[in-house]
């Protein structure tokens, strides 16, 4: 038997799935909601009201799909344990109830062929799943902690608890509550830090749904904290170039040996700031100072890398400014401005090359960029020089034209006087 098969069988045993029970089927007339809405108890009315907008309701599933019993009966006999009624599922039962359908690929294809069917297996391997299985932790998250029972919506629905901009809020419902998390040796400021991070601002302020949120780094059903040795693989899902450079650098091995978490050592994890040259070198905001000083090789390397990048950045800015002045004055510099884009590309590459932690890697990217920026600056200077020459030439031309016009006026008056008849004296 393969290792994968062993794991799957273990998960099935842990979840208590065993042979798949009768699957939920689209419901017809549902008397459950009729009674719950008329009973006068807000606690019993709320599930029926919420379920009206649930994705399962939209697919035609009634209450018995999860709770068992009979939706055809009008009285208490509908909640007969002999008919499979389980009422409010216990914490471990919740996973079983959800997995009964969501782990069956054949069944799920009838409704959503694109939906994964390994959620229960992943959950069993997660921190949440293990704590539920091993300690029956009364506070650990289960399916309904993230997908509220009776009001589950598709992730694409802005009202869904797992709509990308709301994921951090959903996770923060537990992880941001210090009282709820009391006794657990993990911080409770992740949500607050994320909202102020470059990722959080991209997602929550700019509305960029591709920006990372909690489950992009930690996983969703298989949620777990990234390990020290592979946090770079997590960041590398998006930042591939930096991850490749870092993986070959001296820091990759050193950070593991030191027990520091890769990328997060310099960039933090939840409070990731927008990057810039201020982080490099030995200045006030530089992150290099936490390990390096002015007298060691690492510190000198950081200072030199920053000087190279700032040199290219300064040249690029000066060239751009000069070309803008020339363009606003009416000079044709579009080709030079287009060529200057490659200097900008070199600047981006140089900033990425920092993750190789060698001066040569950064210099290799800045040399070409500096050459392009200097060439563009020279073109801007020539354009402004040509403009000055044209203006000078125009001024001289205007003086000559005015002089010619004045001379013509004088000549016309002379001719006019000669052509008049002489008066008798």
């Amino acid at each position: 038997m393969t290792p994968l098969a062993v794991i799957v069988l273990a998960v099935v045993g842990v979840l208590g799935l065993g042979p798949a029970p009768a699957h939920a089927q689209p419901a017809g007339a549902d008397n459950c909601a009729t009674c719950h809405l008329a009973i006068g108890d807000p606690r019993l009315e709320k599930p029926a009201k919420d379920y009206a907008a649930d994705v399962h309701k939209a697919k035609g599933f009634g209450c018995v799909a999860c709770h068992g019993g009979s939706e055809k009966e009008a009285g208490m006999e509908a909640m007969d344990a002999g008919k499979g009624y389980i009422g409010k599922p216990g914490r471990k039962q919740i996973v079983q109830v959800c997995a009964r359908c969501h782990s069956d690929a054949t069944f799920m294809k009838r409704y959503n062929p694109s939906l994964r069917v390994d959620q229960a297996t992943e959950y069993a391997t997660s921190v949440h799943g293990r704590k539920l299985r091993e300690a029956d932790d009364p506070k650990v998250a289960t399916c309904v902690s993230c997908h509220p029972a009776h009001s589950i919506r598709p992730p694409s629905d802005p009202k869904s608890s797992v709509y990308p901009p709301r994921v951090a809020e959903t996770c923060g419902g537990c992880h941001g509550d210090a009282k709820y998390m009391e006794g657990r040796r993990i911080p409770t400021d992740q949500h607050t830090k994320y909202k102020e991070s470059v990722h959080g601002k991209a997602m929550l302020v700019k509305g960029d749904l591709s920006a990372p949120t909690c489950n992009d780094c930690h996983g969703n059903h298989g949620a777990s904290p990234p390990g020290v040795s592979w946090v770079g693989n997590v960041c590398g899902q998006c930042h591939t170039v930096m991850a490749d450079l870092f993986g070959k650098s001296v820091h990759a091995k050193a950070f593991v040996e030191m027990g520091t978490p890769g990328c997060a050592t310099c960039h933090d994890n939840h409070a990731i700031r927008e990057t810039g040259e201020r982080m490099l070198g030995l200045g006030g905001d530089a992150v290099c100072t936490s390990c390096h000083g002015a007298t060691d090789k690492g510190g000198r390397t950081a200072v030199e890398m920053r000087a190279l990048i700032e040199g290219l950045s300064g040249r690029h800015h000066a060239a751009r400014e000069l070309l803008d002045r020339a363009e606003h004055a009416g000079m044709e510099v579009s080709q030079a401005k287009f060529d200057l884009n490659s200097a900008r590309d070199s600047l981006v590459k140089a900033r990425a090359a920092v993750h190789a932690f060698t001066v040569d890697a950064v210099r290799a990217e800045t040399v070409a960029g500096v050459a392009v920026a200097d060439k563009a600056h020279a073109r801007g200077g020539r354009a402004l020089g040509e403009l000055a020459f044209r203006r000078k030439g125009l001024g001289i031309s205007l003086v000559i034209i005015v002089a010619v016009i004045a001379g013509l006026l004088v000549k016309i008056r002379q001719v006019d006087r000669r052509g008049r008849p002489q008066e008798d004296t």
Side-chain angles (χ1 to χ4, degrees):
M1 185 177 293
T2 65
L4 178 59
V6 172
I7 292 174
V8 172
L9 288 176
V11 170
V12 169
V14 166
L15 296 177
L17 298 179
H23 290 308
Q25 296 295 330
D30 194 339
N31 290 319
C32 303
T34 303
C35 288
H36 275 254
L37 291 172
I39 206 165
D41 186 337
R43 296 172 301 174
L44 300 178
E45 290 176 354
K46 189 176 186 305
K49 291 179 179 178
D50 290 346
Y51 194 62
D54 191 284
V55 66
H56 298 96
K57 175 71 172 180
K59 294 293 185 180
F61 291 93
C63 306
V64 299
C66 297
H67 293 281
S70 173
E71 79 278 7
K72 303 298 183 181
E73 305 291 344
M76 294 297 291
E77 59 272 19
M79 297 180 286
D80 184 353
K83 297 177 181 177
Y85 179 73
I86 57 175
K88 183 178 180 180
R91 296 180 65 76
K92 289 186 177 180
Q93 278 185 301
I94 289 171
V95 183
Q96 297 175 31
V97 168
C98 297
R100 186 171 52 188
C101 295
H102 283 272
S103 293
D104 190 325
T106 301
F107 178 77
M108 292 303 297
K109 283 181 180 178
R110 305 180 201 172
Y111 301 96
N112 188 349
S114 65
L115 198 64
R116 292 173 57 177
V117 292
D118 59 351
Q119 299 100 322
T121 303
E122 280 202 334
Y123 177 78
T125 67
S126 71
V127 170
H128 297 145
R130 293 200 305 270
K131 286 185 176 293
L132 179 64
R133 179 177 72 250
E134 297 167 6
D136 197 15
D137 190 328
K139 289 185 176 181
V140 76
T142 64
C143 310
V144 296
S145 303
C146 304
H147 307 278
H150 309 110
S151 57
I152 299 173
R153 296 171 181 264
S156 58
D157 188 330
K159 293 182 179 180
S160 171
S161 58
V162 291
Y163 182 60
R166 297 189 64 185
V167 168
E169 180 185 351
T170 296
C171 297
C174 294
H175 287 275
D177 187 331
K179 185 176 180 180
Y180 189 83
M181 299 297 293
E182 191 174 5
R184 300 168 191 272
R185 293 178 295 178
I186 56 175
T188 56
D189 59 355
Q190 300 98 321
H191 187 207
T192 300
K193 286 183 174 180
Y194 173 77
K195 288 190 292 184
E196 296 302 318
S197 73
V198 64
H199 292 151
K201 289 178 179 178
M203 173 73 77
L204 305 174
V205 178
K206 298 179 181 179
D208 183 358
L209 300 186
S210 67
T213 186
C214 309
N215 62 321
D216 292 295
C217 300
H218 294 277
N220 37 31
H221 302 100
S224 63
V228 169
S229 63
W230 60 276
V231 68
N233 292 340
V234 176
C235 302
Q237 293 179 97
C238 299
H239 304 283
T240 55
V241 173
M242 291 79 159
D244 288 343
L245 290 169
F246 176 80
K248 299 173 185 176
S249 75
V250 65
H251 284 84
K253 183 178 179 181
F255 281 6
V256 173
E257 292 175 349
M258 293 166 58
T260 53
C263 309
T265 301
C266 301
H267 295 280
D268 208 321
N269 43 20
H270 302 101
I272 298 172
R273 297 181 299 165
E274 184 175 359
T275 56
E277 279 74 69
R278 70 183 187 284
M279 296 177 64
L280 184 62
L282 300 175
D285 290 334
V287 298
C288 308
T289 55
S290 60
C291 297
H292 298 287
T295 59
D296 63 64
K297 181 180 178 181
R300 294 193 299 271
T301 296
V303 170
E304 193 170 348
M305 288 192 298
R306 177 166 178 168
L308 287 169
I309 292 175
E310 287 184 335
L312 173 56
S313 179
R315 280 177 158 85
H316 175 271
H317 178 74
R320 172 65 66 179
E321 187 177 61
L322 198 63
L323 290 173
D324 284 343
R325 283 172 52 198
E327 186 178 55
H328 292 160
M331 301 302 291
E332 172 52 49
V333 291
S334 59
Q335 184 61 48
K337 294 190 74 173
F338 177 80
D339 293 341
L340 187 59
N341 289 330
S342 64
R344 176 66 182 175
D345 292 341
S346 293
L347 183 58
V348 172
K349 292 177 181 178
R351 287 169 173 162
V354 166
H355 297 87
F357 302 102
T358 65
V359 174
D360 289 343
V362 175
R363 184 182 288 114
E365 300 297 346
T366 58
V367 168
V370 167
V372 171
D374 287 348
K375 183 178 179 180
H377 190 277
R379 178 67 185 89
R382 290 197 300 272
L384 289 177
E386 184 180 347
L387 176 64
F389 176 79
R390 290 180 182 180
R391 287 176 174 173
K392 184 178 179 180
L394 178 61
I396 294 172
S397 299
L398 286 174
V399 170
I400 294 173
I401 291 171
V402 170
V404 170
I405 292 174
L408 287 172
L409 289 174
V410 171
K411 188 67 176 176
I412 291 172
R413 288 177 181 176
Q414 291 176 349
V415 171
D416 187 55
R417 281 198 295 268
R418 290 173 186 170
R420 292 176 184 175
Q422 296 292 326
E423 294 181 359
D424 295 333
T425 56

